[in-house]
Amino acid sequence: MDYKKVFQETINQLYTEKRYRVFADLEQIVGAFPHAVWHDGVESREITVWCSNDYLGMGQHPDIIQALCTAAGNTGVGAGGTRNISGTSHYLVELEEELADLHHKEASLVFTSGFISNEASISTIAQLLPDCLILSDELNHASMIEGIRRSGAEKQVFRHSDPNHLERLLKTAGQERAKLIVFESIYSMDGDIAPIREIADLAEKYNAMTYLDEVHAVGMYGVRGGGITDRDHLTERIDIIEGTLAKAYGSLGGYITGPRSIIDAVRCYAPGFIFTTALPPSIAAAATAAIRHLKKSQRERTLQQRQAKQTKDALISAGLPVMPSQTHIVPVFVGNPALCTKATDHLLRQHSIYIQAINYPTVSQGKERLRITPTPFHDDVLIRMLQHALLETWNAIGISDFNSSAAG
């Protein structure tokens, strides 16, 4: 067998489907967020990043940087081992205490990424529950789907944010069977919010557990940044809340919070937790500093929401196809993978604006888009520049013509 040929053919297929992924080589600039230096192999120049998940710019906050540097200076670079073998630093213990307090839960557990926290936690919880049935929203993230798959449990998919469909499945399953409802608070590609209260009502009615992914909401919503459940006073009604440290908190890692018995069971049984080197103390210290800051400060959230609305209004007023969004995420519809990729390249080269193309399988085919994430630092001048750049791009590469013909 020609092994290299097999892999090359799979790559060629991606080129054919116009969804081969190209990574932008970026160098962030402390104190200049959201600007960065783009290296294209020939030249290097400053650009504006409009698609970062560092939603509040906390990765550039002086206090967060200082916390990281101080911890690294005190303890060194790495964790030195898994959590079980010398890797449980005091900084990590403090972080887990801070996260449990954030969500008003008994305990929390930190993982090396949000993907791993979902994969390891969902699979372990479902394996430990006898004859567990997992009920999963059809638009759940790949990490959740992988956790469900690895659990080996029976899965039923309910229509996106459809409590009526979910109730029919719960009713059929019966009161006595173990059931785990797995869903997200904010769905990051469309920017919509799940009907959390209605799902919690159904969980109580039909004796089901709830597992809620708040990765795109923690730090962003609520009095203390606890997410949509914090904002809507629903924290106590959700069994397990999962989040990330890598978005609004500007650091790295994922976590779950919930009853101590469940968290302890995941800690003792999840391979994705047990056999992975722990987060470095410096990263844990930075995340803790960010959480503490955003528990007290509303400034970043308030300004971010303002700039997100300003961005939506500016793009809609220009006639650009902004998709409906209830949150800080601003998706702009393209509907074609080749044009979406061309738009990214054109914006970068002609306007020094970076917005990554979102193509299949991240979104379904025909739903390709640019996903814009305004931060508190994208001021009104940058918004006007974005508006003009997108209009020019839409006309220059033919997206306007494509959208018109598709609509016709």
Side-chain angles (χ1 to χ4, degrees):
M1 174 179 285
D2 187 341
Y3 294 102
K4 291 183 180 179
K5 181 181 178 182
V6 171
F7 292 105
Q8 189 58 54
E9 286 175 350
T10 64
I11 295 299
N12 292 343
Q13 183 64 29
L14 294 177
Y15 279 111
T16 300
E17 296 172 4
K18 308 298 183 185
R19 58 186 187 92
Y20 178 78
R21 294 172 185 257
V22 177
F23 298 157
D25 181 352
L26 303 178
E27 181 181 351
Q28 297 184 96
I29 311 167
V30 172
F33 186 83
H35 302 290
V37 175
W38 172 51
H39 305 278
D40 72 349
V42 177
E43 64 171 339
S44 300
R45 59 186 164 98
E46 189 172 303
I47 62 164
T48 304
V49 179
W50 273 96
C51 58
S52 174
N53 281 341
D54 188 356
Y55 295 137
L56 301 177
M58 294 303 291
Q60 303 282 309
H61 194 288
D63 293 348
I64 314 308
I65 295 172
Q66 184 59 53
L68 182 144
C69 292
T70 299
N74 290 341
T75 67
V77 176
T82 64
R83 291 293 298 272
N84 186 53
I85 306 175
S86 81
T88 299
S89 69
H90 183 62
Y91 291 100
L92 202 41
V93 172
E94 286 187 326
L95 173 58
E96 289 179 336
E97 291 173 351
E98 203 69 46
L99 287 165
D101 174 76
L102 174 66
H103 295 290
H104 301 289
K105 300 297 185 185
E106 291 178 349
S108 78
L109 195 65
V110 169
F111 298 78
T112 51
S113 74
F115 190 104
I116 296 298
S117 62
N118 270 335
E119 178 189 58
S121 301
I122 293 171
S123 62
T124 301
I125 291 168
Q127 285 170 355
L128 293 175
L129 289 170
D131 190 30
C132 180
L133 171 65
I134 300 177
L135 301 121
S136 173
D137 188 288
E138 67 177 331
L139 293 188
N140 276 342
H141 189 264
S143 60
M144 305 174 82
I145 295 169
E146 185 62 17
I148 294 167
R149 187 188 69 80
R150 290 182 64 84
S151 75
E154 181 185 351
K155 173 191 72 173
Q156 292 182 353
V157 177
F158 61 92
R159 286 190 293 272
H160 178 52
S161 292
D162 187 339
N164 293 326
H165 187 211
L166 174 60
E167 181 167 22
R168 290 198 293 273
L169 297 177
L170 286 166
K171 187 180 295 185
T172 300
Q175 286 282 341
E176 298 307 315
R177 186 176 184 184
K179 299 173 290 296
L180 180 65
I181 304 171
V182 178
F183 64 115
E184 301 180 44
S185 61
I186 293 178
Y187 289 84
S188 64
M189 290 301 114
D190 290 339
D192 59 318
I193 298 174
I196 300 173
R197 189 182 305 277
E198 290 88 338
I199 291 174
D201 288 342
L202 291 174
E204 292 177 9
K205 181 177 180 180
Y206 293 98
N207 190 29
M209 273 186 61
T210 47
Y211 181 106
L212 178 64
D213 176 316
E214 286 252 49
V215 297
H216 292 278
V218 290
M220 302 293 293
Y221 299 89
V223 175
R224 301 197 307 158
I228 299 298
T229 48
D230 182 14
R231 185 194 72 177
D232 295 347
H233 309 292
L234 296 169
T235 302
E236 304 297 333
R237 302 196 61 198
I238 300 298
D239 295 303
I240 302 292
I241 294 177
E242 185 265 352
T244 185
L245 307 169
K247 293 181 171 61
Y249 294 123
S251 187
L252 179 70
Y255 65 89
I256 58 169
T257 64
R260 192 174 303 280
S261 59
I262 298 175
I263 301 304
D264 203 25
V266 174
R267 182 184 70 87
C268 293
Y269 282 93
F273 174 81
I274 295 169
F275 299 106
T276 298
T277 299
L279 279 186
S282 57
I283 298 296
T288 300
I291 294 165
R292 287 173 177 168
H293 177 85
L294 290 173
K295 278 181 177 179
K296 298 176 181 178
S297 175
Q298 295 293 334
R299 180 180 178 278
E300 290 83 0
R301 283 190 284 275
T302 300
L303 187 54
Q304 194 277 338
Q305 289 292 331
R306 178 191 183 277
Q307 296 314 104
K309 183 180 185 303
Q310 291 286 97
T311 303
K312 289 177 188 176
D313 291 346
L315 301 189
I316 291 170
S317 69
L320 289 157
V322 177
M323 302 169 70
S325 167
Q326 301 169 270
T327 62
H328 58 280
I329 294 162
V330 185
V332 183
F333 182 77
V334 177
N336 177 281
L339 288 175
C340 206
T341 301
K342 281 185 180 179
T344 290
D345 188 61
H346 186 86
L347 285 164
L348 195 50
R349 296 188 180 279
Q350 299 300 319
H351 298 282
S352 295
I353 287 175
Y354 174 50
I355 310 171
Q356 182 59 41
I358 306 296
N359 291 336
Y360 177 84
T362 306
V363 294
S364 58
Q365 292 175 331
K367 300 293 185 180
E368 294 83 6
R369 68 198 64 181
L370 299 180
R371 177 180 175 274
I372 298 168
T373 53
T375 73
F377 301 93
H378 289 91
D379 61 26
D380 293 354
V381 173
L382 289 178
I383 291 172
R384 286 194 295 273
M385 291 171 63
L386 174 68
Q387 179 194 57
H388 295 316
L390 284 172
L391 280 172
E392 191 278 335
T393 299
W394 247 241
N395 293 318
I397 68 174
I399 298 178
S400 294
D401 293 336
F402 173 79
N403 288 160
S404 297
S405 62

